[in-house]
Amino acid sequence: MTPSSHTLYNQCRILTAGLALVLASCQTAPTLQPDNIDTILGEMTTEEKIMLVVGAGNEEFTGYGNTKKIVPGAAGTTAPIPRLGITPTVLTDGPAGLRIDTLREGESRRYYHTGFPIGTALACTWNTELMQQVGEAIGNEAHEYGLDLIFAPGMNLHRDPLGGRNFEYYSEDPLLTGKMAAAFVKGIQANGVGATLKHYAVNNQETNRKDVDIRIAQRPLRELYLRGFEIAVREAQPWSVMSAYNSINGQQCMESRDLLTTILRRDWGFDGMVVSDWAAPGWRDSGKEIWAGNDLLAPGSEEQRQEIAQALHAGKLSEADLDTCVRRMLRFVTRTPRFQQYAFSNAPDLKAHARRSLEAAEEGIVLLENRNQTLPLASSVKRVGMFGIASYNFLAVGTGSGNVKTPHTKNLEEGFALVGIQTNAKVAERYRKVIADSLARRSNDPLGYEAMPEIAIDDADITASAEEDDAAIITIGRSCGEGADRRADTQYRLSQLETEVIEKVCNAFHAKHKPVVVVLNVSGVVEVASWRTKPDAVVLSWLLGQEGGEAVCRMLKGEVCPSGRLSMTFPVAYEDCNTHDNFPYDFQGPKAIGNYTKIPRNPAIKNVHYTDYKEGIYVGYRYFDTYGRRVSYPFGYGLSYTQFGYADAQCKALPEGGYEVSVRVTNTGNCAGKEVVQLYAPVRDLKHQLIGFGKTRMLKPGEAETLRIRFTPRDLSYFDETQNAWVLAAGDYPIEVAANSRDTKAHTSLHIEADKVLEKVAGKL
């Protein structure tokens, strides 16, 4: 179309749309109701249909969404069509709590929202009941602040330890991911607001995320990267799924009918709406996105509306395909609180939610090392010397769309005060001054802030602290976020300065026969093998939300018995990961966020323009355990202050289908605690994979509970690429009842008589 004809076309389109609206206004139009969607669809003009499937847009496109419309700071809104009773809806981030503005123009009050632990920390609870309660709290805040849809949970796999967005995601395992996500979705949607699974699919790297092609075989695609989404769709019926930026085998996710319609809807039965990730015009073909099954193009722009109109005019997009998306959008609108005229209060119970955040933080902490029962700290420990910037500037959440503007963030200094332990004021003052100077230089950033650089501490201060204090705490801080992957040299490995602080503090305190504890306030896996034997205890706190400092100190004092277990493997060295040759761990190009410039493809750059998933099904523990590779900590690992015995493990088939393993778990130690029980079984070509898990209630010393963990034939099956089907192979299946993937406590088994095709699927990428 020439520029002149394009202008003429637009003028005609505007005149036609205007005439249609005038004529429509002369008649009494029906009003949208849940039971008259097809009637409303029949009344809509083409212009109105296009308005509904393209977001209302931000005043200024920022790439991450920060609208001032309706609820300030929300990620975006949908367009209203008042003549038909179609109300706007408000869409918000995120996975660790809402991301909206706390300050509003002309008002003095603050609209705070609770900061919860990051997704990885939540997954390390292995507690689906608690996960659902966290979802309920976040959903309630959305409901009371007038929001309709939450862009959470994030649930791509931790394919590689350096994935920049791993902190938002749950695990390297799809079963754990799917089960935790399903519980989270159920909790959110119990409030009558929607949840969104993201980013669908195979969005495992941030580097060039809008323009990278993921090359992957069908079996790992189905068994690993789609499986968690499938579980959450089938078990929780989310209102929405967000399509990813990247391509899969040459098909862009947002333009892939195979992915968004055939697999998601036909194979899995998804009945909600699909929203695009925040895409600027020029990156995608808007008409093709609608054809593929993207029901809402977000955040929305006039250029996208024009592209859809042009696609209809050129015959590249049918009215029927547009109507399909419009119908789903109308159904979505009718489900929302805003459509149902809910009188939101703007006053959620933040105190109750803070308590829930604290509980989740306590269960997400993983105790990695505890030599000589250093923890819990002895009653003789009255004062500690705290080292490391993060001890005083404790990191709560990640950056990007997973950021939360919390009402407060409790650091370790505040946490120790709450449990009755003093901290060395002289050492603290040195760190406080540096932190204050750094904060004064910061400009406002709605995406949140990176961790502050570590500082050197005088040897004399360390020596004096070892003389005066009863124990030392060293905190290592690492943040990360949307837009870039982590680097092996600076974010996986500790810096020379950090290792020197550990060395010097350990030497000084051990010379006085006093313990040293390292706290890892980190967003992802870090290297531990080179230094973990130096301190007496190592605590993996993750980023624990606004109550994190209190949670850690309650655990150090012994008021909480650690029950967190790793949702990923800690390798000895990054190079031990079989993904490292096919991951951009050292890329130093532009940050992949916002409206960034495309990286030229001449030539195409490995792991930037394309990434080959050559490892196939061997990701995380599936690789390390199958091939017997050394690790620092295995998948599912975590220590406790007590011990547990396992007995009477049995497996039985259930009359309604599926299987159940029962096992009696007894607290054989000296303090109350919870245990995570994990079931593993061999699946074709794999030593084993997780097929089920459960967590006990709080068991007192000597108390027992019989856990009953269910799993399905699909949990034991593999994806046969030749048949495009899930197959359960015949044979004996030894089942490991385990404390982690390398610590089996009891055994049981089941027998499958003959090979069985469980489900043939239609989709193929």
Side-chain angles (χ1 to χ4, degrees):
M1 185 178 291
T2 65
S4 59
S5 63
H6 180 268
T7 301
L8 179 61
Y9 166 72
N10 279 335
Q11 291 174 344
C12 293
R13 182 177 58 83
I14 293 169
L15 289 171
T16 302
L19 179 60
L21 288 173
V22 170
L23 292 173
S25 66
C26 296
Q27 304 172 353
T28 303
T31 299
L32 177 65
Q33 300 294 332
D35 61 356
N36 73 345
I37 287 173
D38 282 339
T39 299
I40 295 296
L41 181 61
E43 291 286 331
M44 295 176 74
T45 66
T46 300
E47 184 81 8
E48 288 171 330
K49 293 175 183 178
I50 294 173
M51 284 178 61
L52 191 60
V53 299
V54 177
N58 300 325
E59 287 79 4
E60 180 181 355
F61 182 79
T62 59
Y64 53 82
N66 190 27
T67 183
K68 297 299 180 185
K69 298 174 181 176
I70 308 179
V71 180
T77 60
T78 61
I81 304 175
R83 78 175 188 90
L84 296 172
I86 300 172
T87 57
T89 66
V90 186
L91 323 171
T92 186
D93 296 319
L98 307 183
R99 191 174 71 85
I100 58 176
D101 289 348
T102 56
L103 281 173
R104 298 184 182 178
E105 189 174 349
E107 298 186 46
S108 59
R109 68 161 286 190
R110 289 197 176 252
Y111 292 78
Y112 281 122
H113 29 283
T114 309
F116 288 87
I118 60 172
T120 296
L122 291 173
C124 287
T125 69
W126 293 67
N127 187 335
T128 54
E129 181 180 355
L130 177 59
M131 193 70 165
Q132 184 163 336
Q133 292 167 352
V134 169
E136 287 172 358
I138 295 174
N140 174 258
E141 292 188 13
H143 200 224
E144 295 308 313
Y145 279 132
L147 300 156
D148 300 297
L149 182 70
I150 301 174
F151 293 145
M155 50 186 305
N156 293 104
L157 291 192
H158 295 194
R159 171 183 176 250
D160 186 279
L162 300 185
R165 227 160 167 179
N166 282 1
F167 77 99
E168 288 188 54
Y169 303 148
Y170 294 140
S171 174
E172 67 188 25
D173 181 78
L175 180 77
L176 181 58
T177 293
K179 295 291 186 180
M180 298 301 277
F184 191 70
V185 168
K186 290 175 183 177
I188 289 174
Q189 295 187 170
N191 294 274
V193 298
T196 305
L197 310 183
K198 66 178 190 179
H199 306 85
Y200 179 69
V202 205
N203 186 178
N204 308 113
Q205 71 181 60
E206 286 295 282
T207 300
N208 202 33
R209 62 180 179 170
K210 288 187 178 180
D211 203 30
V212 64
D213 182 27
I214 304 303
R215 301 172 178 176
I216 184 172
Q218 296 300 301
R219 183 180 175 191
L221 178 65
R222 284 283 187 166
E223 290 188 18
L224 298 179
Y225 301 100
L226 298 184
R227 181 65 175 138
F229 286 98
E230 180 184 6
I231 291 170
V233 165
R234 292 183 186 271
E235 295 189 4
Q237 294 82 50
W239 286 18
S240 175
V241 168
M242 179 181 284
S243 54
Y245 286 126
N246 54 278
S247 297
I248 303 173
N249 296 332
Q251 294 188 45
Q252 290 180 330
C253 291
M254 294 181 186
E255 300 176 2
S256 174
R257 192 165 180 136
D258 291 330
L259 184 68
L260 303 184
T261 296
T262 307
I263 293 175
L264 181 61
R265 300 182 187 282
R266 190 183 306 174
D267 287 348
W268 301 347
F270 176 67
D271 66 353
M273 70 96 169
V274 173
V275 57
S276 73
D277 205 339
W278 257 225
W283 281 91
R284 299 290 179 264
D285 181 330
S286 299
K288 194 171 183 181
E289 287 184 73
I290 296 297
W291 168 82
N294 261 294
D295 305 303
L296 176 63
L297 309 191
S301 68
E302 180 57 28
E303 292 95 324
Q304 288 172 311
R305 296 182 189 97
Q306 290 176 8
E307 286 179 3
I308 295 170
Q310 290 163 10
L312 287 168
H313 179 73
K316 295 180 179 179
L317 176 67
S318 71
E319 192 86 20
D321 284 330
L322 176 60
D323 286 352
T324 296
C325 293
V326 173
R327 187 177 287 107
R328 291 193 287 246
M329 284 301 298
L330 290 171
R331 179 171 181 262
F332 162 68
V333 170
T334 65
R335 303 173 83 175
T336 62
R338 190 165 298 278
F339 175 82
Q340 295 168 8
Q341 299 181 321
Y342 175 69
F344 54 88
S345 67
N346 275 327
D349 190 346
L350 297 180
K351 289 185 178 179
H353 297 167
R355 291 191 293 272
R356 182 68 70 210
S357 180
L358 175 62
E359 182 182 358
E362 291 170 349
E363 288 210 26
I365 297 169
V366 183
L367 180 58
L368 298 177
E369 300 284 348
N370 193 21
R371 278 176 284 282
N372 301 317
Q373 295 183 315
T374 295
L375 296 178
L377 294 171
S379 58
S380 58
V381 175
K382 304 297 184 183
R383 195 175 87 159
V384 297
M386 293 201 308
F387 302 88
I389 286 282
S391 292
Y392 307 90
N393 189 53
F394 204 65
L395 301 171
V397 292
T399 64
S401 60
N403 183 252
V404 183
K405 297 170 185 174
T406 61
H408 59 259
T409 298
K410 291 178 183 172
N411 60 29
L412 296 189
E413 192 172 23
E414 294 168 294
F416 276 122
L418 289 169
V419 298
I421 294 178
Q422 294 181 324
T423 53
N424 187 307
K426 183 179 179 181
V427 174
E429 186 58 32
R430 172 82 170 91
Y431 285 103
R432 283 198 209 102
K433 183 179 185 305
V434 173
I435 292 169
D437 290 344
S438 179
L439 290 175
R441 293 192 299 271
R442 280 179 170 173
S443 58
N444 182 50
D445 187 348
L447 292 179
Y449 302 100
E450 300 286 340
M452 293 181 185
E454 195 52 79
I455 63 168
I457 194 77
D458 292 341
D459 291 353
D461 289 338
I462 296 174
T463 300
S465 178
E467 289 282 352
E468 302 165 0
D469 301 323
D470 302 314
I473 308 295
I474 305 169
T475 307
I476 304 296
R478 290 284 189 280
S479 65
C480 69
E482 183 177 1
D485 292 306
R486 299 167 66 220
R487 288 177 54 82
D489 54 352
T490 59
Q491 291 169 297
Y492 175 73
R493 302 184 187 95
L494 270 58
S495 68
Q496 182 177 348
L497 179 55
E498 289 168 330
T499 56
E500 286 177 355
V501 169
I502 292 174
E503 183 83 29
K504 290 178 179 180
V505 171
C506 286
N507 288 342
F509 275 77
H510 289 164
K512 299 295 181 180
H513 306 291
K514 296 177 180 179
V516 178
V517 179
V518 170
V519 175
L520 295 174
N521 178 210
V522 297
S523 55
V525 175
V526 295
E527 190 273 331
V528 297
S530 65
W531 58 266
R532 62 177 175 166
T533 59
K534 294 175 183 178
D536 303 279
V538 179
V539 174
L540 179 59
S541 78
W542 301 117
L543 310 185
L544 290 176
Q546 65 184 50
E547 311 298 325
E550 181 178 356
V552 171
C553 293
R554 280 171 50 81
M555 176 264 188
L556 295 175
K557 182 72 180 291
E559 294 178 9
V560 171
C561 180
S563 64
R565 303 294 183 260
L566 291 179
S567 66
M568 77 297 292
T569 305
F570 269 51
V572 173
Y574 175 65
E575 292 73 18
D576 293 341
C577 300
N578 63 337
T579 55
H580 87 277
D581 280 338
N582 295 287
F583 188 83
Y585 63 87
D586 58 355
F587 181 70
Q588 300 187 52
K591 194 170 185 181
I593 192 167
N595 212 1
Y596 68 93
T597 304
K598 287 187 178 182
I599 301 170
R601 285 180 170 269
N602 296 316
I605 305 169
K606 178 183 176 183
N607 300 332
V608 175
H609 293 110
Y610 66 92
T611 301
D612 294 322
Y613 281 36
K614 291 185 177 180
E615 71 280 355
I617 60 172
Y618 300 105
V619 173
Y621 73 90
R622 285 168 164 79
Y623 165 68
F624 288 107
D625 292 358
T626 299
Y627 288 94
R629 301 289 193 256
R630 290 187 311 134
V631 298
S632 288
Y633 303 111
F635 176 78
Y637 171 88
L639 300 177
S640 174
Y641 292 158
T642 189
Q643 297 83 41
F644 298 92
Y646 292 50
D648 303 327
Q650 299 179 27
C651 179
K652 68 176 183 179
L654 298 171
E656 64 271 29
Y659 308 94
E660 181 182 87
V661 167
S662 60
V663 60
R664 186 171 177 80
V665 180
T666 304
N667 184 342
T668 60
N670 298 317
C671 73
K674 297 180 179 181
E675 174 69 328
V676 175
V677 176
Q678 304 159 38
L679 304 183
Y680 296 89
V683 175
R684 176 166 293 194
D685 305 319
L686 296 172
K687 178 182 184 291
H688 58 197
Q689 70 180 31
L690 185 72
I691 61 169
F693 62 92
K695 193 167 190 175
T696 69
R697 66 177 187 276
M698 184 68 73
L699 298 178
K700 298 175 182 178
E703 190 176 9
E705 178 182 0
T706 297
L707 278 184
R708 302 184 187 279
I709 303 171
R710 294 188 173 188
F711 59 97
T712 69
R714 274 288 299 276
D715 296 322
L716 289 172
S717 67
Y718 69 95
F719 189 77
D720 188 321
E721 296 181 357
T722 60
Q723 301 183 70
N724 212 38
W726 289 93
V727 176
L728 179 62
D732 294 316
Y733 285 81
I735 297 173
E736 305 163 56
V737 185
N740 63 63
S741 73
R742 296 193 174 186
D743 185 9
T744 302
K745 300 293 189 180
H747 294 87
T748 184
S749 64
L750 65 85
H751 178 75
I752 304 298
E753 287 290 341
D755 288 357
K756 183 177 181 181
V757 174
L758 299 178
E759 181 182 357
K760 282 187 173 289
V761 299
K764 188 172 184 180
L765 289 174

